[in-house]
Amino acid sequence: YNQIDRCRELIDAEGTPAAPLLELVNHVADAVAEKHPEARVATLAYWSTRHAPRTMKARDNVVVMLCPI
C-alpha cells in the first residue's frame, strides 16, 4: 500500500492496510461481475493485509486467500 491520502484514510478508518486493497479488489470484482456474473476474483492476504477491515466486506464474487509466508 502507499501513503496517499485516500489509502491513509481507509487504513485509519478500517484499522488495517487490507482496506485499500479490498477497495481495489471490490472495484475490479464489480466490473468483472457485469460481464461475467459467474466469475470469481481472487486476492491474497499476506502478513500486512491478513486482518479484515472493521466494516468493509468483500463482494460475493471475491475470494480472499490467506498466504502465510
Side-chain angles (χ1 to χ4, degrees), residues 46-61:
Y46 289 98
W47 185 256
S48 65
T49 57
R50 72 191 183 283
H51 296 292
R54 291 179 183 131
T55 61
M56 294 175 70
K57 303 292 181 199
R59 299 289 192 267
D60 289 341
N61 62 335

Side-chain angles (χ1 to χ4, degrees), residues 5 7-9 12 14 18 23 27 36 40 43 45-46 52-53:
D5 291 340
C7 290
R8 188 81 255 152
E9 289 170 9
D12 291 345
E14 296 291 334
E23 183 175 77
H27 180 76
H36 305 283
R40 300 290 176 256
T43 188
Y46 289 98

